[in-house]
Amino acid sequence: MTSPFPLLHVPYLPQGRIIDFMDPDALVSLSFCSQKSHSVIKTQRKLPFDGHLLVEESDKNSSFLSFPKFVFGLLRKRNCVLSAEKFVDNINYESMESVKMGGQHVRVEMDCLNGYIISYWENTTDGLKVITEYVTNLFNIDISDIRASKQSFHMIEWVNSRQKTPLRRVWYVDWNATSSEEELIYILKFCRPMSELSMHLKPPQNFRFTEKFPIIDCLDIIHGEWMTLDNLLTMDGIDIVLEKTILTSRDLNVFLKHWLAGGCPRLKLFCARLGSVDMFQVLDGLMRNAVFVENSRYYTSPFGYSRVLSGGYDIQREDGVTATVHYQPPRTLIIAVWPETPYNYN
Amino acid sequence: MTSPASSSEVKYLIESSEGNTFDVSGAALRQSNTFNAMFLNIGADGPIPFTDYNEATLKKVFEYCEHSVNEENYSGPKHQDDLSKWDLNFFNEMDQKMFIDVINASNFLDIERLTSYCCERIARMLRGKNTQEMIKVITLPTAEELEAKQKVEEKKAAAAKKVAEKAAETAEKTETLEELPVQQLVQTTRNKLTRKYLSFSNE
C-alpha cells in the first residue's frame, strides 16, 4: 500500500498503535511535518524504546543520537535517530528541506542508506545540543549513554547537568589524547551512579584518585596507571577490566583476601594487567584454600567479556562461592567468580 | 441463527449500515473483544447490529477473522517477510478507503490481531520517508499550501472587513435617513406654522 493515509484522522487507539510501531527516526521525520503531528507523537507514544538513547560526538564534523544495538558487546549497528553535521562548501543547502528545531530553521536531508535525518549546522556542538533537546523532548526520555572524545568532553558535563536521570554508560575514548585531572575526577565523582564506564585515554602524569571509588557495575580502563590498591579495596563492581596498571602481585594478594573476606561482593570478573605476575605472591597465605584445576574452562562475564581459563586455582569463600584465579601470560591476572551469569547488553 | 453457544459451528447474523445481514461463524466473531463483552454470554435475539460500518468493510474484517480462526494465539505482529501469501494478498487488495474503514471497524470490534497488523503495516509504510514525503503520505498540507491557505484566509478576512465596514457605513447612512424625515417633519411643520402666522398677520 503506497497511497496516502490520513494518519491524523484515524481513531485515537489505532493512531497510538501506529505511533508505537514506528521507528524513532521515522517519528522524528513525522514530528517535523506539523505542530499537530509533533504533539500526536508526544502524547500517543506509549511503548518504551528498544534500547537506550546514546549521544555521540564522533568528530568535529558529525554527531549522532541513536538507539545503538550491541552484538557480543560490540556496537554493530548504529540505529541513528537524528544527526548533526557541519556545513561543507560544495553542497547546495538551499535545495534541502528546512525544518524548525529549537526555534531556528535548520537544513535537513535524509540519509538514504540508513533512513535517518541529517541536520546541518555551522557548529556541530550547538547542533548536537539542539537535536538532543529536540529528541529528548519529543520522546520524553533522557540521555542514557554518552560516547565522548577529549574534545567533546564538555558534552558529558552538559548532558549530566541538563537531566536528573544519571547516565548509564559513559565511554570516554580518545586513543591519542591525554585526559586532564579535572576530567577524570569529574567522571569519577559526578557521573554516579553509573552502570558502565569505559575510559580509553591516557591519564595525566602522577594522577591519583584518592576518594572512595564510585560504584560502577562494569569498569573498563585501558590506561590504569593511576589505579592504587586503595582504589581496588573501595571498588564495588561486577566486571572490572584494568589494563596497563602498576599494581603488584602483592596488591592483588591483598585484593583477593579482601574478596574472600566479603569485600567487592558483586564481583564476577576481575582482569588486570600488571607489571609482572608472581602467582606465589598473589596466592600468598591462601595456598591451603586453593585447588589447582588443570582443565581449560571458558568464562563469560555478565557484561560479555570472555576469557579462557586454561589452568587456575579455585578458591572458595566462606559462603561457598568459588573464584578461579588464573594467570594469563605475559602479565594478566584474572579472577573469575562462579557461576557464570548470562549477560544482557541492554 | 444467533446463539450464545460456544461451538464454532454456530453462526451469527451481522447487520451492516445498509441494513443487510450476513452470517459469521462464532469462532471468527469471538476474535472480537467487543463481541465477547457484549453478546457472548447473553446471546443475541436477532442480527447483531454493527451499523456504523458498511457490508463490504464488515465482510472484509470477518474474512480475516474466519481465516485466522485456526492460527496460534496472537503474539505481536509478524515481520513483513513472515506474513503468509494469504495475509499479503488480503492487505494488498484493499484500496486506501477500504483500509481505513477496516482499521476503524477492527478498532471498534477490538480485534487485536487485525488492528495490529494494519497499524504495523502503516508504520512500515512510513519508514525511510523524509518530511515532504511524510506530509504527502499522511495527507497534511505542505508549507506552501499552508501559506496559500493563510493568504486566502487573509484575503477572506480583508474582504469580510471591507463588507463589515461598508455595512457599518450603510447603517450610518440609514440612521441619517431615518433621522431625516423627523427633521423634515419639524421643518415642514415649522414652515406651515410660519405660513399660518404670516397669513394671520396679513389678515
Side-chain angles (χ1 to χ4, degrees):
Chain A
M1 194 186 73
T2 51
S3 49
F5 181 84
L7 176 66
L8 303 183
H9 298 287
V10 296
Y12 185 80
L13 281 174
Q15 189 182 67
R17 299 285 292 276
I18 295 166
I19 299 288
D20 276 343
F21 279 126
M22 285 177 73
D23 294 330
D25 51 356
L27 287 173
V28 169
S29 265
L30 178 63
S31 74
F32 290 138
C33 292
S34 70
Q35 274 185 347
K36 192 175 175 189
S37 67
H38 186 277
S39 69
V40 160
I41 295 166
K42 268 183 79 77
T43 52
Q44 291 274 39
R45 171 90 204 179
K46 300 282 188 298
L47 268 191
F49 286 98
D50 179 20
H52 298 270
L53 190 58
L54 165 80
V55 58
E56 174 183 15
E57 190 171 49
S58 55
D59 60 56
K60 261 195 286 189
N61 299 328
S62 63
S63 308
F64 297 91
L65 275 176
S66 53
F67 286 99
K69 293 274 178 224
F70 290 85
V71 181
F72 298 114
L74 297 170
L75 189 64
R76 282 288 168 85
K77 187 182 168 197
R78 178 180 281 146
N79 280 5
C80 197
V81 177
L82 185 58
S83 82
E85 291 196 10
K86 196 172 170 60
F87 281 120
V88 285
D89 293 338
N90 55 352
I91 294 181
N92 176 18
Y93 294 97
E94 292 304 309
S95 59
M96 284 182 191
E97 273 183 60
S98 171
V99 298
K100 215 169 175 189
M101 266 192 284
Q104 49 190 309
H105 289 280
V106 183
R107 291 287 173 190
V108 296
E109 69 173 342
M110 179 66 72
D111 178 301
C112 298
L113 197 64
N114 299 301
Y116 65 86
I117 287 181
I118 305 168
S119 60
Y120 288 95
W121 303 83
E122 285 294 344
N123 178 324
T124 46
T125 301
D126 293 344
L128 183 60
K129 286 179 180 174
V130 173
I131 66 171
T132 302
E133 294 287 5
Y134 186 84
V135 170
T136 52
N137 174 275
L138 179 68
F139 296 153
N140 196 26
I141 53 171
D142 277 329
I143 298 293
S144 176
D145 302 353
I146 186 160
R147 182 185 287 258
S149 62
K150 167 108 180 140
Q151 64 127 23
S152 57
F153 174 81
H154 59 94
M155 286 305 296
I156 301 177
E157 292 175 299
W158 180 74
V159 168
N160 218 20
S161 66
R162 65 170 292 282
Q163 63 186 41
K164 283 184 182 156
T165 317
L167 287 165
R168 202 178 60 106
R169 279 187 178 135
V170 174
W171 286 276
Y172 186 31
V173 178
D174 202 327
W175 295 100
N176 300 317
T178 301
S179 165
S180 75
E181 202 161 299
E182 292 74 27
E183 288 161 2
L184 289 182
I185 288 174
Y186 178 85
I187 290 176
L188 293 168
K189 272 183 82 170
F190 299 109
C191 291
R192 52 173 79 170
M194 187 182 358
S195 173
E196 252 183 284
L197 171 64
S198 292
M199 288 205 283
H200 296 189
L201 73 179
K202 288 176 200 141
Q205 252 190 345
N206 303 323
F207 172 72
R208 292 290 180 270
F209 185 68
T210 51
E211 297 182 36
K212 187 177 185 292
F213 211 83
I215 296 172
I216 298 170
D217 299 336
C218 178
L219 180 68
D220 172 20
I221 294 180
I222 293 291
H223 290 275
E225 295 94 325
W226 53 275
M227 281 282 170
T228 62
L229 177 60
D230 281 345
N231 293 149
L232 287 192
L233 297 179
T234 54
M235 272 182 191
D236 178 7
I238 297 169
D239 281 15
I240 300 170
V241 178
L242 310 171
E243 300 283 339
K244 296 183 186 168
T245 71
I246 52 167
L247 295 165
T248 64
S249 298
R250 287 244 171 265
D251 292 337
L252 267 294
N253 173 260
V254 176
F255 179 68
L256 203 51
K257 285 175 178 167
H258 168 70
W259 178 78
L260 283 165
C264 203
R266 300 186 303 145
L267 184 71
K268 293 306 278 186
L269 177 74
F270 177 88
C271 188
R273 203 165 94 199
L274 317 179
S276 63
V277 178
D278 179 343
M279 281 303 272
F280 290 109
Q281 280 186 2
V282 172
L283 295 169
D284 186 28
L286 302 169
M287 282 307 272
R288 266 189 300 175
N289 187 13
V291 178
F292 183 72
V293 179
E294 207 171 339
N295 297 345
S296 270
R297 287 170 288 177
Y298 192 79
Y299 185 90
T300 304
S301 73
F303 286 86
Y305 293 97
S306 294
R307 297 287 184 272
V308 179
L309 310 173
S310 322
Y313 292 89
D314 280 7
I315 293 185
Q316 205 172 53
R317 207 162 56 182
E318 264 184 22
D319 60 2
V321 175
T322 302
T324 298
V325 183
H326 167 72
Y327 163 57
Q328 185 181 294
R331 292 192 298 271
T332 302
L333 189 91
I334 295 169
I335 302 170
V337 181
W338 302 97
E340 285 180 284
T341 318
Y343 55 85
N344 178 8
Y345 296 113
N346 290 316
Chain B
M1 175 188 147
T2 57
S3 148
S6 59
S7 159
S8 58
E9 305 289 316
V10 175
K11 298 274 186 189
Y12 289 81
L13 271 181
I14 300 295
E15 187 183 346
S16 69
S17 61
E18 300 96 328
N20 299 340
T21 56
F22 61 94
D23 282 346
V24 175
S25 77
L29 206 45
R30 274 195 301 279
Q31 292 183 42
S32 156
N33 290 327
T34 305
F35 165 80
N36 289 339
M38 289 167 73
F39 299 104
L40 187 64
N41 294 323
I42 55 168
D45 287 335
I48 300 172
F50 289 132
T51 48
D52 281 346
Y53 305 99
N54 64 34
E55 188 181 0
T57 304
L58 289 172
K59 278 189 169 168
K60 194 77 186 162
V61 168
F62 289 115
E63 179 193 343
Y64 189 86
C65 293
E66 295 282 7
H67 175 77
S68 53
V69 160
N70 295 323
E71 284 193 16
E72 61 207 38
N73 286 339
Y74 176 72
S75 58
K78 291 176 185 170
H79 189 267
Q80 173 84 3
D81 303 336
D82 299 333
L83 285 178
S84 69
K85 203 175 170 187
W86 189 94
D87 284 328
L88 282 173
N89 282 340
F90 175 82
F91 287 116
N92 288 340
E93 65 194 18
M94 276 191 268
D95 62 16
Q96 181 225 9
K97 191 186 172 310
M98 173 65 90
F99 194 76
I100 294 164
D101 289 345
V102 165
I103 288 183
N104 285 333
S106 175
N107 175 51
F108 171 75
L109 292 166
D110 195 4
I111 302 167
E112 170 71 16
R113 188 193 301 256
L114 180 57
T115 310
S116 280
Y117 281 174
C118 290
C119 292
E120 205 250 347
R121 203 170 162 79
I122 294 158
R124 198 182 306 121
M125 186 180 78
L126 296 170
R127 247 180 229 166
K129 300 254 185 299
N130 65 27
T131 304
Q132 289 307 317
E133 291 164 341
M134 198 81 87
I135 283 171
K136 271 185 198 159
V137 173
I138 65 170
T139 61
L140 275 180
T142 61
E144 291 78 27
E145 283 167 341
L146 279 176
E147 204 176 307
K149 197 180 170 188
Q150 199 178 338
K151 271 183 187 168
V152 169
E153 272 168 13
E154 277 171 8
K155 266 185 186 173
K156 270 186 187 170
K161 198 180 168 190
K162 254 186 186 175
V163 170
E165 276 172 6
K166 220 172 192 180
E169 214 171 86
T170 317
E172 212 170 277
K173 271 184 187 167
T174 316
E175 265 175 33
T176 325
L177 284 173
E178 273 170 5
E179 277 169 16
L180 207 64
V182 180
Q183 281 177 347
Q184 270 177 347
L185 193 69
V186 171
Q187 193 61 44
T188 320
T189 317
R190 197 178 282 163
N191 291 345
K192 273 182 185 173
L193 287 172
T194 314
R195 272 203 297 273
K196 246 184 188 175
Y197 171 76
L198 285 174
S199 65
F200 274 128
S201 48
N202 285 340
E203 279 171 12

mmCIF file of all heavy atoms in Angstrom, chain A residues 197-230:
data_model
loop_
_atom_site.group_PDB
_atom_site.id
_atom_site.type_symbol
_atom_site.label_atom_id
_atom_site.label_comp_id
_atom_site.label_asym_id
_atom_site.label_seq_id
_atom_site.Cartn_x
_atom_site.Cartn_y
_atom_site.Cartn_z
ATOM 1 N N LEU A 197 31.437 2.225 32.734
ATOM 2 C CA LEU A 197 32.387 3.296 32.411
ATOM 3 C C LEU A 197 33.570 2.700 31.657
ATOM 4 O O LEU A 197 34.220 1.766 32.132
ATOM 5 C CB LEU A 197 32.881 3.975 33.699
ATOM 6 C CG LEU A 197 34.042 4.967 33.533
ATOM 7 C CD1 LEU A 197 33.623 6.160 32.667
ATOM 8 C CD2 LEU A 197 34.539 5.465 34.886
ATOM 9 N N SER A 198 33.797 3.245 30.470
ATOM 10 C CA SER A 198 34.988 2.859 29.715
ATOM 11 C C SER A 198 35.824 4.105 29.509
ATOM 12 O O SER A 198 35.320 5.106 28.986
ATOM 13 C CB SER A 198 34.599 2.308 28.336
ATOM 14 O OG SER A 198 33.940 1.088 28.484
ATOM 15 N N MET A 199 37.079 4.044 29.929
ATOM 16 C CA MET A 199 37.974 5.185 29.712
ATOM 17 C C MET A 199 39.180 4.692 28.937
ATOM 18 O O MET A 199 39.953 3.870 29.442
ATOM 19 C CB MET A 199 38.375 5.807 31.036
ATOM 20 C CG MET A 199 37.234 6.566 31.679
ATOM 21 S SD MET A 199 37.760 7.861 32.817
ATOM 22 C CE MET A 199 38.224 6.921 34.231
ATOM 23 N N HIS A 200 39.266 5.189 27.712
ATOM 24 C CA HIS A 200 40.353 4.751 26.842
ATOM 25 C C HIS A 200 41.197 5.952 26.446
ATOM 26 O O HIS A 200 41.255 6.317 25.281
ATOM 27 C CB HIS A 200 39.791 4.074 25.570
ATOM 28 C CG HIS A 200 39.044 2.814 25.848
ATOM 29 N ND1 HIS A 200 38.625 1.958 24.868
ATOM 30 C CD2 HIS A 200 38.639 2.236 27.001
ATOM 31 C CE1 HIS A 200 37.994 0.926 25.399
ATOM 32 N NE2 HIS A 200 37.977 1.081 26.695
ATOM 33 N N LEU A 201 41.780 6.614 27.415
ATOM 34 C CA LEU A 201 42.735 7.667 27.090
ATOM 35 C C LEU A 201 43.728 7.820 28.236
ATOM 36 O O LEU A 201 43.460 7.375 29.355
ATOM 37 C CB LEU A 201 42.054 8.979 26.711
ATOM 38 C CG LEU A 201 41.374 9.867 27.711
ATOM 39 C CD1 LEU A 201 40.814 11.087 27.034
ATOM 40 C CD2 LEU A 201 40.301 9.144 28.465
ATOM 41 N N LYS A 202 44.853 8.414 27.896
ATOM 42 C CA LYS A 202 45.944 8.442 28.880
ATOM 43 C C LYS A 202 45.585 9.372 30.032
ATOM 44 O O LYS A 202 45.001 10.433 29.813
ATOM 45 C CB LYS A 202 47.226 8.956 28.204
ATOM 46 C CG LYS A 202 47.828 7.957 27.251
ATOM 47 C CD LYS A 202 49.023 8.575 26.546
ATOM 48 C CE LYS A 202 49.327 7.799 25.278
ATOM 49 N NZ LYS A 202 49.712 8.660 24.168
ATOM 50 N N PRO A 203 45.985 8.980 31.263
ATOM 51 C CA PRO A 203 45.746 9.880 32.389
ATOM 52 C C PRO A 203 46.888 10.896 32.482
ATOM 53 O O PRO A 203 47.969 10.659 31.926
ATOM 54 C CB PRO A 203 45.795 8.922 33.585
ATOM 55 C CG PRO A 203 46.744 7.845 33.156
ATOM 56 C CD PRO A 203 46.619 7.711 31.660
ATOM 57 N N PRO A 204 46.684 12.003 33.171
ATOM 58 C CA PRO A 204 47.812 12.929 33.366
ATOM 59 C C PRO A 204 48.857 12.248 34.264
ATOM 60 O O PRO A 204 48.498 11.374 35.066
ATOM 61 C CB PRO A 204 47.162 14.123 34.071
ATOM 62 C CG PRO A 204 45.900 13.622 34.645
ATOM 63 C CD PRO A 204 45.456 12.467 33.814
ATOM 64 N N GLN A 205 50.082 12.670 34.122
ATOM 65 C CA GLN A 205 51.160 12.047 34.904
ATOM 66 C C GLN A 205 50.894 12.192 36.396
ATOM 67 O O GLN A 205 50.432 13.249 36.849
ATOM 68 C CB GLN A 205 52.482 12.721 34.546
ATOM 69 C CG GLN A 205 53.336 11.800 33.729
ATOM 70 C CD GLN A 205 54.739 12.331 33.573
ATOM 71 O OE1 GLN A 205 55.016 13.499 33.826
ATOM 72 N NE2 GLN A 205 55.629 11.466 33.141
ATOM 73 N N ASN A 206 51.179 11.136 37.141
ATOM 74 C CA ASN A 206 51.042 11.114 38.599
ATOM 75 C C ASN A 206 49.602 11.310 39.093
ATOM 76 O O ASN A 206 49.393 11.686 40.244
ATOM 77 C CB ASN A 206 51.943 12.170 39.262
ATOM 78 C CG ASN A 206 53.388 11.977 38.867
ATOM 79 O OD1 ASN A 206 53.845 10.832 38.724
ATOM 80 N ND2 ASN A 206 54.099 13.068 38.639
ATOM 81 N N PHE A 207 48.646 11.094 38.231
ATOM 82 C CA PHE A 207 47.252 11.248 38.673
ATOM 83 C C PHE A 207 46.897 10.135 39.652
ATOM 84 O O PHE A 207 47.237 8.970 39.441
ATOM 85 C CB PHE A 207 46.291 11.206 37.485
ATOM 86 C CG PHE A 207 44.844 11.163 37.903
ATOM 87 C CD1 PHE A 207 44.225 12.280 38.434
ATOM 88 C CD2 PHE A 207 44.099 9.984 37.791
ATOM 89 C CE1 PHE A 207 42.893 12.236 38.846
ATOM 90 C CE2 PHE A 207 42.769 9.936 38.197
ATOM 91 C CZ PHE A 207 42.166 11.065 38.729
ATOM 92 N N ARG A 208 46.200 10.500 40.731
ATOM 93 C CA ARG A 208 45.656 9.520 41.675
ATOM 94 C C ARG A 208 44.244 9.942 42.049
ATOM 95 O O ARG A 208 43.974 11.138 42.190
ATOM 96 C CB ARG A 208 46.505 9.450 42.955
ATOM 97 C CG ARG A 208 47.904 8.871 42.771
ATOM 98 C CD ARG A 208 47.865 7.375 42.482
ATOM 99 N NE ARG A 208 49.203 6.837 42.318
ATOM 100 C CZ ARG A 208 49.847 6.777 41.153
ATOM 101 N NH1 ARG A 208 49.275 7.242 40.054
ATOM 102 N NH2 ARG A 208 51.053 6.265 41.073
ATOM 103 N N PHE A 209 43.405 8.961 42.243
ATOM 104 C CA PHE A 209 42.057 9.266 42.719
ATOM 105 C C PHE A 209 42.004 8.812 44.167
ATOM 106 O O PHE A 209 42.047 7.612 44.458
ATOM 107 C CB PHE A 209 41.009 8.539 41.875
ATOM 108 C CG PHE A 209 39.604 8.898 42.234
ATOM 109 C CD1 PHE A 209 39.106 10.174 41.985
ATOM 110 C CD2 PHE A 209 38.768 7.969 42.837
ATOM 111 C CE1 PHE A 209 37.811 10.510 42.336
ATOM 112 C CE2 PHE A 209 37.468 8.303 43.185
ATOM 113 C CZ PHE A 209 36.985 9.572 42.926
ATOM 114 N N THR A 210 41.910 9.765 45.074
ATOM 115 C CA THR A 210 42.108 9.425 46.489
ATOM 116 C C THR A 210 40.794 9.239 47.245
ATOM 117 O O THR A 210 40.801 8.879 48.412
ATOM 118 C CB THR A 210 42.939 10.522 47.177
ATOM 119 O OG1 THR A 210 42.325 11.776 46.874
ATOM 120 C CG2 THR A 210 44.371 10.510 46.708
ATOM 121 N N GLU A 211 39.670 9.494 46.563
ATOM 122 C CA GLU A 211 38.394 9.343 47.276
ATOM 123 C C GLU A 211 37.876 7.918 47.136
ATOM 124 O O GLU A 211 38.458 7.102 46.421
ATOM 125 C CB GLU A 211 37.382 10.339 46.715
ATOM 126 C CG GLU A 211 37.836 11.766 46.947
ATOM 127 C CD GLU A 211 36.830 12.770 46.433
ATOM 128 O OE1 GLU A 211 35.623 12.487 46.537
ATOM 129 O OE2 GLU A 211 37.261 13.815 45.924
ATOM 130 N N LYS A 212 36.741 7.667 47.803
ATOM 131 C CA LYS A 212 36.133 6.333 47.694
ATOM 132 C C LYS A 212 35.746 6.091 46.233
ATOM 133 O O LYS A 212 35.163 6.974 45.591
ATOM 134 C CB LYS A 212 34.887 6.274 48.572
ATOM 135 C CG LYS A 212 34.266 4.885 48.660
ATOM 136 C CD LYS A 212 33.065 4.909 49.611
ATOM 137 C CE LYS A 212 32.484 3.532 49.817
ATOM 138 N NZ LYS A 212 31.853 2.952 48.658
ATOM 139 N N PHE A 213 36.086 4.935 45.727
ATOM 140 C CA PHE A 213 35.818 4.666 44.319
ATOM 141 C C PHE A 213 34.305 4.534 44.085
ATOM 142 O O PHE A 213 33.610 3.922 44.893
ATOM 143 C CB PHE A 213 36.522 3.369 43.890
ATOM 144 C CG PHE A 213 36.920 3.406 42.450
ATOM 145 C CD1 PHE A 213 38.097 4.030 42.045
ATOM 146 C CD2 PHE A 213 36.103 2.840 41.483
ATOM 147 C CE1 PHE A 213 38.441 4.087 40.707
ATOM 148 C CE2 PHE A 213 36.444 2.893 40.153
ATOM 149 C CZ PHE A 213 37.621 3.522 39.760
ATOM 150 N N PRO A 214 33.789 5.131 43.012
ATOM 151 C CA PRO A 214 32.335 5.061 42.799
ATOM 152 C C PRO A 214 31.877 3.635 42.502
ATOM 153 O O PRO A 214 32.646 2.815 42.016
ATOM 154 C CB PRO A 214 32.125 5.965 41.585
ATOM 155 C CG PRO A 214 33.427 6.008 40.889
ATOM 156 C CD PRO A 214 34.471 5.861 41.952
ATOM 157 N N ILE A 215 30.582 3.397 42.773
ATOM 158 C CA ILE A 215 30.004 2.088 42.436
ATOM 159 C C ILE A 215 29.760 2.070 40.932
ATOM 160 O O ILE A 215 28.965 2.860 40.409
ATOM 161 C CB ILE A 215 28.682 1.868 43.196
ATOM 162 C CG1 ILE A 215 28.965 1.813 44.696
ATOM 163 C CG2 ILE A 215 27.978 0.594 42.722
ATOM 164 C CD1 ILE A 215 27.728 1.793 45.570
ATOM 165 N N ILE A 216 30.475 1.217 40.245
ATOM 166 C CA ILE A 216 30.311 1.083 38.782
ATOM 167 C C ILE A 216 30.239 -0.406 38.482
ATOM 168 O O ILE A 216 31.144 -1.163 38.844
ATOM 169 C CB ILE A 216 31.510 1.721 38.040
ATOM 170 C CG1 ILE A 216 31.592 3.221 38.344
ATOM 171 C CG2 ILE A 216 31.387 1.490 36.528
ATOM 172 C CD1 ILE A 216 32.864 3.882 37.860
ATOM 173 N N ASP A 217 29.147 -0.813 37.831
ATOM 174 C CA ASP A 217 28.962 -2.251 37.571
ATOM 175 C C ASP A 217 30.050 -2.793 36.644
ATOM 176 O O ASP A 217 30.562 -3.876 36.855
ATOM 177 C CB ASP A 217 27.584 -2.506 36.937
ATOM 178 C CG ASP A 217 26.461 -2.076 37.853
ATOM 179 O OD1 ASP A 217 26.696 -2.030 39.076
ATOM 180 O OD2 ASP A 217 25.358 -1.771 37.349
ATOM 181 N N CYS A 218 30.341 -2.037 35.611
ATOM 182 C CA CYS A 218 31.324 -2.518 34.639
ATOM 183 C C CYS A 218 32.362 -1.420 34.388
ATOM 184 O O CYS A 218 32.015 -0.350 33.873
ATOM 185 C CB CYS A 218 30.627 -2.900 33.337
ATOM 186 S SG CYS A 218 31.786 -3.454 32.093
ATOM 187 N N LEU A 219 33.559 -1.692 34.781
ATOM 188 C CA LEU A 219 34.625 -0.698 34.646
ATOM 189 C C LEU A 219 35.667 -1.233 33.671
ATOM 190 O O LEU A 219 36.149 -2.352 33.822
ATOM 191 C CB LEU A 219 35.260 -0.474 36.032
ATOM 192 C CG LEU A 219 36.391 0.532 36.119
ATOM 193 C CD1 LEU A 219 35.875 1.946 35.877
ATOM 194 C CD2 LEU A 219 37.050 0.462 37.501
ATOM 195 N N ASP A 220 35.975 -0.421 32.668
ATOM 196 C CA ASP A 220 36.931 -0.862 31.654
ATOM 197 C C ASP A 220 37.913 0.289 31.436
ATOM 198 O O ASP A 220 37.572 1.308 30.836
ATOM 199 C CB ASP A 220 36.142 -1.192 30.373
ATOM 200 C CG ASP A 220 37.051 -1.467 29.193
ATOM 201 O OD1 ASP A 220 38.228 -1.771 29.411
ATOM 202 O OD2 ASP A 220 36.570 -1.370 28.039
ATOM 203 N N ILE A 221 39.123 0.127 31.976
ATOM 204 C CA ILE A 221 40.104 1.207 31.895
ATOM 205 C C ILE A 221 41.340 0.712 31.158
ATOM 206 O O ILE A 221 41.968 -0.268 31.567
ATOM 207 C CB ILE A 221 40.440 1.734 33.311
ATOM 208 C CG1 ILE A 221 39.165 2.400 33.859
ATOM 209 C CG2 ILE A 221 41.597 2.722 33.269
ATOM 210 C CD1 ILE A 221 39.295 2.963 35.220
ATOM 211 N N ILE A 222 41.648 1.388 30.063
ATOM 212 C CA ILE A 222 42.782 0.943 29.247
ATOM 213 C C ILE A 222 44.102 1.450 29.816
ATOM 214 O O ILE A 222 45.088 0.741 29.830
ATOM 215 C CB ILE A 222 42.602 1.431 27.781
ATOM 216 C CG1 ILE A 222 41.409 0.719 27.142
ATOM 217 C CG2 ILE A 222 43.874 1.217 26.951
ATOM 218 C CD1 ILE A 222 41.591 -0.760 26.883
ATOM 219 N N HIS A 223 44.106 2.692 30.299
ATOM 220 C CA HIS A 223 45.324 3.232 30.916
ATOM 221 C C HIS A 223 45.115 3.291 32.423
ATOM 222 O O HIS A 223 44.687 4.308 32.963
ATOM 223 C CB HIS A 223 45.635 4.622 30.363
ATOM 224 C CG HIS A 223 46.083 4.585 28.939
ATOM 225 N ND1 HIS A 223 47.395 4.365 28.590
ATOM 226 C CD2 HIS A 223 45.406 4.711 27.780
ATOM 227 C CE1 HIS A 223 47.496 4.363 27.275
ATOM 228 N NE2 HIS A 223 46.309 4.573 26.755
ATOM 229 N N GLY A 224 45.418 2.158 33.071
ATOM 230 C CA GLY A 224 45.145 2.072 34.511
ATOM 231 C C GLY A 224 46.337 2.402 35.383
ATOM 232 O O GLY A 224 46.399 1.956 36.540
ATOM 233 N N GLU A 225 47.249 3.211 34.852
ATOM 234 C CA GLU A 225 48.468 3.532 35.610
ATOM 235 C C GLU A 225 48.149 4.216 36.937
ATOM 236 O O GLU A 225 48.957 4.172 37.875
ATOM 237 C CB GLU A 225 49.387 4.456 34.797
ATOM 238 C CG GLU A 225 49.948 3.850 33.520
ATOM 239 C CD GLU A 225 49.114 4.177 32.299
ATOM 240 O OE1 GLU A 225 47.868 4.257 32.430
ATOM 241 O OE2 GLU A 225 49.697 4.354 31.207
ATOM 242 N N TRP A 226 47.015 4.874 37.005
ATOM 243 C CA TRP A 226 46.689 5.660 38.193
ATOM 244 C C TRP A 226 45.980 4.838 39.282
ATOM 245 O O TRP A 226 45.753 5.326 40.389
ATOM 246 C CB TRP A 226 45.813 6.849 37.799
ATOM 247 C CG TRP A 226 44.581 6.478 37.008
ATOM 248 C CD1 TRP A 226 44.502 6.290 35.685
ATOM 249 C CD2 TRP A 226 43.275 6.243 37.537
ATOM 250 N NE1 TRP A 226 43.229 5.960 35.314
ATOM 251 C CE2 TRP A 226 42.449 5.930 36.444
ATOM 252 C CE3 TRP A 226 42.702 6.269 38.815
ATOM 253 C CZ2 TRP A 226 41.085 5.641 36.573
ATOM 254 C CZ3 TRP A 226 41.350 5.993 38.949
ATOM 255 C CH2 TRP A 226 40.563 5.675 37.829
ATOM 256 N N MET A 227 45.660 3.608 38.970
ATOM 257 C CA MET A 227 44.921 2.765 39.917
ATOM 258 C C MET A 227 45.805 2.368 41.102
ATOM 259 O O MET A 227 46.932 1.929 40.905
ATOM 260 C CB MET A 227 44.483 1.478 39.226
ATOM 261 C CG MET A 227 43.284 1.655 38.377
ATOM 262 S SD MET A 227 41.860 1.704 39.465
ATOM 263 C CE MET A 227 40.658 2.206 38.283
ATOM 264 N N THR A 228 45.257 2.498 42.304
ATOM 265 C CA THR A 228 46.015 2.124 43.503
ATOM 266 C C THR A 228 45.305 0.977 44.219
ATOM 267 O O THR A 228 44.137 0.676 43.924
ATOM 268 C CB THR A 228 46.103 3.313 44.479
ATOM 269 O OG1 THR A 228 44.762 3.638 44.879
ATOM 270 C CG2 THR A 228 46.752 4.525 43.826
ATOM 271 N N LEU A 229 46.009 0.405 45.172
ATOM 272 C CA LEU A 229 45.401 -0.656 45.979
ATOM 273 C C LEU A 229 44.174 -0.117 46.718
ATOM 274 O O LEU A 229 43.144 -0.793 46.834
ATOM 275 C CB LEU A 229 46.430 -1.216 46.970
ATOM 276 C CG LEU A 229 45.911 -2.294 47.931
ATOM 277 C CD1 LEU A 229 45.379 -3.515 47.183
ATOM 278 C CD2 LEU A 229 46.996 -2.722 48.901
ATOM 279 N N ASP A 230 44.283 1.128 47.182
ATOM 280 C CA ASP A 230 43.136 1.733 47.877
ATOM 281 C C ASP A 230 41.919 1.799 46.960
ATOM 282 O O ASP A 230 40.784 1.585 47.393
ATOM 283 C CB ASP A 230 43.483 3.151 48.355
ATOM 284 C CG ASP A 230 44.322 3.096 49.632
ATOM 285 O OD1 ASP A 230 44.358 2.012 50.253
ATOM 286 O OD2 ASP A 230 44.942 4.123 49.966
#
